[in-house]
C-alpha cells in the first residue's frame, strides 16, 4: 500500500494559487455541483470549506438563484482570485468570502449553514479530521454535508496511470515552472484512501457507508444530519 505523503509547502503562494486556477477544472466542478444538486434542497445558506478561487460557489449561485454561499479559504492569494471571479460573475451580493482555516474547529459557529461542502481540499490538510469536524459543527440539524476528494491509489504505478489519463491539465496553463501533472501527482500521494476516510468519519459518528467512490480517482462523503 502506498503511504500518504504530504504535499510540499509552496515557495510562492501567489504562483501556487495562479497555477491551480490555470488548470481546467470546469468538468469536475460541474460534476460536483450536479451531484450536489441531485441530492435535493440545499437550503438558504451553503458553506464552502476551502473554496479556492470560488468556482464551485459561483457555479452553485448561477444555477440556484435562492442560495447564498459563504466561501472560506486559508489562502489570501486564493481569495484574491476568488474576489475577481465573483465580481466578474456579478455575485457580490450572494457570495461572502471568509479568510480562515477550514480545518480549525473554532473558525465557525454552530449550525451556521443548511449545507456544508468541500471539494478536493482534504488532501491538502495534514490532519484532515479537522475539516470534517468543522463541517459537522457548522451544519444545521437536518442539513447535509457533501465532501469530495481524491483517493490515494495503492501503488505509484496507479498514480502515474491516473495522471496520464486526466485531460485538461495543459489547458490555459501559462504559469512558468509549475507542472499541472506534478500538482496532481502530489495531490494523489497526499490523499486519503477510501478505508482511511471511512474510518475517520466512523469515529465522528457518521455512517462509513456514506463515503463511496464516485469516479476512478474521487471518493465522496454525502450525508444528512439528523434533526
Amino acid at each position: 500500500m502506498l503511504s500518504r505523503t504530504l504535499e510540499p509547502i509552496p515557495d510562492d503562494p501567489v504562483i501556487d494559487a495562479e497555477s491551480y486556477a490555470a488548470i481546467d477544472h470546469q468538468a469536475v466542478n460541474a460534476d460536483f455541483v450536479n451531484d450536489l444538486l441531485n441530492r435535493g434542497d440545499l437550503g438558504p445558506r451553503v458553506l464552502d470549506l476551502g473554496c479556492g478561487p470560488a468556482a464551485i460557489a459561483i457555479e452553485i449561485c448561477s444555477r440556484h438563484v435562492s442560495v447564498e454561499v459563504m466561501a472560506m479559504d486559508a489562502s489570501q492569494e486564493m481569495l484574491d482570485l476568488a474576489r475577481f471571479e465573483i465580481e466578474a460573475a456579478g455575485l457580490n451580493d450572494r457570495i461572502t468570502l471568509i479568510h480562515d482555516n477550514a480545518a480549525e474547529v473554532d473558525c465557525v459557529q454552530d449550525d451556521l449553514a443548511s449545507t456544508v461542502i468541500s471539494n478536493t481540499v482534504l488532501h491538502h490538510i495534514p490532519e484532515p479530521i479537522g475539516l470534517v469536524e468543522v463541517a459537522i459543527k457548522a451544519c444545521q440539524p437536518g442539513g447535509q454535508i457533501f465532501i469530495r476528494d481524491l483517493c490515494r491509489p495503492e501503488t505509484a504505478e496507479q498514480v502515474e496511470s491516473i495522471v496520464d489519463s486526466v485531460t485538461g491539465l495543459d489547458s490555459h496553463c501559462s504559469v512558468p515552472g509549475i507542472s499541472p501533472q506534478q500538482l496532481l501527482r502530489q495531490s494523489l500521494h497526499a490523499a486519503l484512501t477510501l478505508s482511511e476516510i471511512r474510518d475517520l468519519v466512523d469515529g465522528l459518528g457518521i455512517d462509513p457507508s456514506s463515503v463511496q467512490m464516485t469516479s476512478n480517482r474521487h471518493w465522496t462523503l454525502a450525508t444528512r444530519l439528523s434533526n
Side-chain angles (χ1 to χ4, degrees):
M1 173 65 71
L2 193 65
S3 298
R4 186 183 187 215
T5 303
L6 296 179
E7 297 167 306
I9 298 173
D11 294 328
D12 188 327
V14 174
I15 291 179
D16 183 61
E18 290 177 350
S19 63
Y20 176 85
I23 300 172
D24 184 2
H25 295 103
Q26 184 174 358
V28 291
N29 287 343
D31 286 344
F32 181 94
V33 176
N34 286 339
D35 293 344
L36 173 65
L37 295 179
N38 285 339
R39 287 186 53 79
D41 184 31
L42 302 183
R45 180 180 292 176
V46 174
L47 174 62
D48 184 359
L49 300 175
C51 65
I56 294 290
I58 291 169
E59 181 83 7
I60 289 172
C61 288
S62 298
R63 297 173 56 182
H64 199 305
V65 296
S66 63
V67 166
E68 295 182 358
V69 179
M70 297 171 292
M72 178 184 294
D73 205 283
S75 167
Q76 185 59 57
E77 291 76 17
M78 282 291 191
L79 294 179
D80 290 342
L81 294 175
R83 188 170 291 105
F84 175 83
E85 297 295 338
I86 292 167
E87 184 173 349
L91 291 169
N92 285 326
D93 59 333
R94 294 178 56 204
I95 301 176
T96 302
L97 296 179
I98 303 170
H99 185 209
D100 214 330
N101 186 347
E104 295 288 344
V105 72
D106 292 336
C107 74
V108 295
Q109 65 189 54
D110 293 352
D111 304 340
L112 180 64
S114 46
T115 296
V116 181
I117 65 171
S118 184
N119 185 40
T120 56
V121 174
L122 273 184
H123 68 272
H124 296 299
I125 303 173
E127 298 295 337
I129 191 172
L131 186 141
V132 183
E133 289 174 331
V134 168
I136 294 171
K137 178 182 179 182
C139 191
Q140 297 170 354
Q144 64 175 321
I145 295 172
F146 192 83
I147 298 173
R148 177 168 293 172
D149 201 68
L150 294 166
C151 183
R152 189 174 78 251
E154 294 185 356
T155 67
E157 290 76 17
Q158 290 174 346
V159 169
E160 295 307 312
S161 177
I162 291 173
V163 171
D164 290 342
S165 71
V166 175
T167 60
L169 292 180
D170 293 318
S171 300
H172 313 296
C173 290
S174 58
V175 180
I178 301 295
S179 164
Q181 290 81 3
Q182 180 63 8
L183 290 176
L184 176 58
R185 182 178 294 110
Q186 292 172 349
S187 294
L188 287 166
H189 278 276
L192 300 182
T193 65
L194 182 63
S195 62
E196 286 171 345
I197 184 60
R198 283 179 169 171
D199 287 345
L200 186 154
V201 302
D202 189 24
L204 296 174
I206 295 175
D207 183 352
S209 68
S210 63
V211 186
Q212 298 290 335
M213 290 298 297
T214 46
S215 83
N216 71 325
R217 64 185 188 277
H218 295 100
W219 53 255
T220 301
L221 162 63
T223 189
R224 191 171 288 276
L225 300 187
S226 58
N227 287 302

